[in-house]
Amino acid sequence: MCIFMNTLKYLQTHEYLLDVDLWRLFANLEELSQTSFGFVNSLLRIFKDYVDICETSPSLDFISVLTKYFRGSLCQSHQTYCLNYSAAVFYLESLKQRHDFGIYLKWCEQNDQCRRLHLPELLVAPLHRLTRYPLLLKNIWKRSTDSTEKIMIYSIKEKVEKSIRDLEGKVKWLDNFQKFRHLQEIVVWPPLWDRDKRFFIPECLKHIFKEHMAENILSPTNRHLLYEGKLTLAESTRFLDVYLFLFDDFLLVTKTKRNKKKLGGSDPGLMCPSLTPELQTVIKEGGSCTVIDQPIPLDRLVVRGLEPLHVSVFGLRNAFLIQHENRYRQCIAAFLLQAQTENIKRTWIAQITAAISCFTKSQETKKMSSFTLPAESSEI
C-alpha cells in the first residue's frame, strides 16, 4: 500500500492530483507502517539472539517487546487508521470515477510489490492484521513455560481484545454520528403554515414558531435509526415518492425532492458511506427529504397489512396502511403506502411491529422503575 501512497505524494509534488486528500485516503498509514515494522523487527531480533545464545538462554524474553508495543503505540495507531477506513473506501470509490486517478491506480497496480492486488484490497489489510494480534499472543502464551510470563502475556492479550471491542464500538458510534449529521442536512422540516394551509399565522407571529423548529430532533444522542427505505404514497390524485425513517421512538414520513440542476449538491466525497444509495442520489442531485407530517410516536402508530382485493381496484400492489392516533385513540392521519415487492412490504410491517413492541416494553419498564418504592430507612 505504501506504493500507492508514495506515488501519490510524488505526483502531488509535481502538481498532479493536488485535489486528492492524502489523509482521507491513507490516514496515518505511514505512522502505522513504521510502528508495525518496528514491532516485527523487535521480534526477529529476539529470535536471532535466542539462536545465537540458545545454550545459555533457554527461554525467549517476549515481555519487554510485547509490553512496549501493545501497551504503547501499536494498538493506538491501528485504531486511528481503522476509524478512518470506511470513509477512505467511500472516498476512493468517488475518486475512481476520474480518468486521471484511474491512470494513477493502474500504474501502481502494475508494480510487482503490489502482487496484483488493488487498492481496496490493500486498504483493508491493517484491519485484518489487528484482529490477528490476539491469535499471535495466544500462541506465544501457549508456548511459554514461565508462569509469571504466562500471566503477563495473557493480560496483554486481554487488553488487545478489549481494544478491538472498544474500536468496534467507536466505529459504530462514529458511523451513526456521521449519518445523523447528514440526515440533519437533508431532512427539511416545513413550518406549520406550509405543512397545513388550515393554520393561519400572521407574519408578525411567525418568529414565535421559528424558535421551536425541530431540526435538533435528529440527534444520535437521543435515538437510533432502526430501518429506512423508499416507498410510494397513494394520494387522491397521484402517487408520491416517499422515504421513511423508522427510529426507536417514532416514524418519520418524508417526500423526496430532487434538483435536476444539481444546485447546492454535496460533494460525493463528503457523504457518509452508511447512507443508502437512494439518499446518496438525492444528495448528489442537490435534493432533500421534506417531512410530510409530524413524527408519529410508536405508541401512537398502527400498521395494517391490506389484502390485494381491497386495493387492486385502485391499481395498488403490495400496499399497507399506517395510522397516526392521538392520545384518545382517534386517527388524526393515515398513509396508504405501496412497496415495490411483497417481501419489502412484509419486511416493513415486521420492522414497524418489532419497533412498536420494543418501545412499549421500554416504556413499561420505565413506569415500573418510577413506581418502585425506595428501600425503607432504618431511621424510621
Side-chain angles (χ1 to χ4, degrees):
M1 189 158 49
C2 289
I3 297 295
F4 288 88
M5 182 179 65
N6 293 333
T7 302
L8 182 56
K9 283 184 178 180
Y10 176 82
L11 290 173
Q12 291 184 340
T13 58
H14 290 76
E15 300 186 353
Y16 294 101
L17 299 176
L18 290 175
D19 58 331
V20 177
D21 193 325
L22 198 69
W23 171 266
R24 287 175 62 189
L25 198 55
F26 297 107
N28 64 328
L29 176 63
E30 193 167 9
E31 172 201 357
L32 179 60
S33 299
Q34 292 175 356
T35 305
S36 300
F37 185 71
F39 172 63
V40 173
N41 267 346
S42 298
L43 281 181
L44 291 176
R45 193 177 302 114
I46 290 177
F47 291 134
K48 183 177 181 301
D49 292 343
Y50 174 76
V51 172
D52 292 341
I53 55 174
C54 60
E55 294 181 358
T56 59
S57 179
S59 63
L60 296 173
D61 180 20
F62 287 105
I63 298 302
S64 58
V65 174
L66 299 181
T67 302
K68 175 183 176 182
Y69 284 95
F70 284 111
R71 291 182 177 175
S73 57
L74 190 60
C75 289
Q76 184 178 353
S77 298
H78 274 86
Q79 284 212 2
T80 303
Y81 180 87
C82 294
L83 286 172
N84 185 71
Y85 169 73
S86 60
V89 172
F90 195 77
Y91 183 49
L92 174 61
E93 289 302 312
S94 66
L95 292 172
K96 286 167 68 175
Q97 301 174 12
R98 294 171 39 172
H99 178 68
D100 55 352
F101 193 82
I103 295 174
Y104 148 74
L105 288 179
K106 289 181 180 179
W107 190 91
C108 294
E109 289 165 0
Q110 293 173 358
N111 192 297
D112 293 338
Q113 295 183 38
C114 294
R115 294 174 295 176
R116 298 182 180 179
L117 295 175
H118 300 289
L119 185 54
E121 298 169 294
L122 296 171
L123 285 174
V124 76
L127 278 70
H128 293 161
R129 189 183 306 127
L130 177 61
T131 59
R132 292 192 184 103
Y133 283 142
L135 298 177
L136 172 66
L137 291 168
K138 185 177 180 179
N139 286 329
I140 295 175
W141 174 81
K142 283 182 178 179
R143 288 161 176 77
S144 177
T145 56
D146 184 89
S147 58
T148 304
E149 186 179 75
K150 287 179 75 74
I151 293 173
M152 295 187 68
I153 294 173
Y154 189 83
S155 173
I156 294 173
K157 182 182 77 71
E158 290 287 303
K159 290 183 180 296
V160 174
E161 290 176 342
K162 182 179 182 301
S163 176
I164 294 174
R165 291 193 298 270
D166 292 344
L167 176 62
E168 291 174 350
K170 289 178 182 178
V171 170
K172 290 180 181 178
W173 181 91
L174 180 62
D175 187 61
N176 189 56
F177 177 84
Q178 291 175 340
K179 183 167 187 175
F180 270 78
R181 182 169 60 84
H182 282 84
L183 289 181
Q184 287 175 334
E185 296 174 359
I186 194 176
V187 174
V188 177
W189 300 82
L192 178 65
W193 49 90
D194 286 344
R195 192 171 67 238
D196 196 327
K197 300 301 181 183
R198 294 175 301 170
F199 301 109
F200 169 69
I201 307 296
E203 198 68 33
C204 60
L205 297 179
K206 288 184 177 180
H207 70 281
I208 299 176
F209 295 87
K210 288 182 179 179
E211 292 178 356
H212 304 285
M213 295 297 284
E215 288 89 346
N216 293 330
I217 198 171
L218 298 181
S219 171
T221 59
N222 297 333
R223 52 190 44 87
H224 299 282
L225 181 60
L226 304 179
Y227 198 67
E228 61 182 302
K230 182 174 65 174
L231 293 168
T232 301
L233 175 64
E235 295 187 332
S236 58
T237 58
R238 60 173 180 168
F239 292 101
L240 187 66
D241 289 334
V242 293
Y243 198 91
L244 272 62
F245 299 93
L246 177 62
F247 296 91
D248 56 356
D249 58 345
F250 69 82
L251 177 71
L252 193 64
V253 182
T254 69
K255 59 180 178 180
T256 54
K257 180 181 178 182
R258 289 179 168 83
N259 187 346
K260 295 182 179 180
K261 295 182 179 179
K262 299 185 181 181
L263 296 176
S266 299
D267 177 6
L270 297 177
M271 286 192 294
C272 179
S274 62
L275 290 178
T276 62
E278 291 90 349
L279 287 184
Q280 291 175 17
T281 302
V282 170
I283 293 177
K284 287 179 182 178
E285 296 179 354
S288 60
C289 294
T290 304
V291 177
I292 293 180
D293 198 25
Q294 58 182 301
I296 308 175
L298 294 186
D299 58 345
R300 300 284 184 260
L301 188 152
V302 177
V303 58
R304 304 180 188 277
L306 302 178
E307 295 297 329
L309 180 63
H310 295 157
V311 291
S312 58
V313 67
F314 299 105
L316 291 174
R317 294 180 179 178
N318 315 313
F320 62 99
L321 184 67
I322 286 177
Q323 295 176 220
H324 182 182
E325 298 181 345
N326 61 16
R327 61 183 296 185
Y328 304 107
R329 314 314 291 182
Q330 295 175 311
C331 184
I332 57 177
F335 300 93
L336 183 56
L337 298 164
Q338 179 179 244
Q340 292 179 340
T341 66
E342 181 68 20
N343 285 337
I344 295 177
K345 166 192 168 180
R346 291 177 180 175
T347 301
W348 265 108
I349 294 176
Q351 290 285 345
I352 294 174
T353 303
I356 293 173
S357 177
C358 290
F359 181 77
T360 303
K361 289 179 180 178
S362 66
Q363 292 299 105
E364 290 176 352
T365 303
K366 288 180 181 179
K367 288 181 181 179
M368 290 294 293
S369 61
S370 64
F371 283 113
T372 302
L373 296 175
E376 185 176 339
S377 173
S378 58
E379 297 179 359
I380 298 177

